[in-house]
Amino acid sequence: MDYPLVSLIVPIYNSALNLVPCLESIKRQKYKKLEILLVNDGSSDSSLEICRMYARMDPRIIIIDKKNSGVSGTRNIAIERATGKYLQFVDSDDYLDLNATRLMVEAMEENACDLLISHYCSVSHDGKVTVYGFLPPDTRMDKPQFARHLMEEPASFYYGVMWNKLYRRDIIIEHNIRCNEEFAWSEDMLFNLEYIRYAESFYSMRTPVYYYARQRKHSLSASVSPARVLTTKASLFPYYKQLYIDLGLYEKYRLQIYTYLVAVAKDMG
């Protein structure tokens, strides 16, 4: 196998307390052909110093230090800088299985797909690990097949987030897909809906390779009011609708698409 370069992107903001386990899991990946982009979004704690320490130990690490602008702008800067065939995203308070990138790349290459989505582990405050995944495992799908499954759990983290997926950089660059900096919540889902418009083949990987630290996200999710959630969903709705119109599936899934506005993700925990 000709191992392609993977650009692994980590947006960082005041993550010093949890950053070391995250960076250790990246540095120790079994897949070695990595370009590790650590983007410091104006942290006021010691996050930048920790990044610099790791950069001294690992020449694959590239540090980008910028003024605070939020996670979307931070990811966009990294996307512009990345040179890998594939893009992989990691939140700075989560961590990876040591075989995460290797397994994702191998599945992506062997199945010649445009987007890989993997099961993932949600880690609670007491250390309990729950595995989530809603697609048929280890299955290659075309876009209509993927779209049908998406409607079964339209509000799920599994589909909405960027961190349990592997993307082709050429699709992102060719179609100028970026994170919307006007969205402070659910910006990942908008990015994914745009990407799905141009992707033709999808692969679901059974093996959970990402560890989502649920307890550390609680304060952020709790600060998002129900009114803000509904407003954001209403803003995302036209993108959902247009995707299914383009696929000729809107009339068939009209009810499920509208259900998205009131759906609660089963994997929010």
Side-chain angles (χ1 to χ4, degrees), residues 21 98 197 248:
L98 298 187
R197 287 182 60 193

Side-chain angles (χ1 to χ4, degrees), residues 14 19-20 36 42 60 73 100 110 129-131 144 161 172 183 216 229 241 244 259 261:
N14 289 349
L19 188 54
V20 169
I36 304 167
R60 299 173 301 172
E110 290 170 5
V129 175
T130 305
V131 177
V161 297
I172 292 171
F183 278 62
R216 294 198 281 267
V229 170
K241 181 177 178 180
Y244 283 82
T259 300
L261 292 173

Side-chain angles (χ1 to χ4, degrees), residues 4-139:
L5 180 67
V6 175
S7 296
L8 202 154
I9 293 169
V10 188
I12 297 166
Y13 177 70
N14 289 349
S15 304
L17 291 177
N18 306 301
L19 188 54
V20 169
C22 174
L23 296 184
E24 279 293 317
S25 76
I26 293 170
K27 185 172 75 74
R28 295 166 58 199
Q29 283 297 299
K30 302 297 184 182
Y31 192 89
K32 299 302 181 183
K33 201 165 182 182
L34 294 176
E35 172 185 71
I36 304 167
L37 299 167
L38 306 182
V39 192
N40 181 51
D41 186 29
S43 296
S44 58
D45 65 2
S46 59
S47 293
L48 182 58
E49 287 71 23
I50 294 171
C51 291
R52 287 170 173 162
M53 178 185 71
Y54 272 86
R56 288 192 291 270
M57 295 188 291
D58 193 331
R60 299 173 301 172
I61 292 177
I62 299 166
I63 296 176
I64 302 171
D65 186 26
K66 57 182 279 295
K67 292 182 179 180
N68 180 259
S69 66
V71 67
S72 291
T74 302
R75 284 175 175 153
N76 287 340
I77 285 176
I79 289 171
E80 296 286 347
R81 180 73 177 270
T83 62
K85 179 178 180 179
Y86 298 121
L87 300 188
Q88 181 181 2
F89 295 87
V90 180
D91 283 358
S92 59
D93 50 358
D94 298 332
Y95 55 97
L96 298 171
D97 180 272
L98 298 187
N99 287 295
T101 305
R102 179 183 67 81
L103 291 174
M104 295 173 87
V105 170
E106 287 177 355
M108 196 85 157
E109 292 280 298
E110 290 170 5
N111 293 280
C113 57
D114 297 331
L115 177 67
L116 180 141
I117 178 169
S118 75
H119 287 28
Y120 71 93
C121 297
S122 177
V123 184
S124 65
H125 68 280
D126 59 0
K128 180 182 177 182
V129 175
T130 305
V131 177
Y132 288 103
F134 298 109
L135 286 169
D138 299 329
T139 302

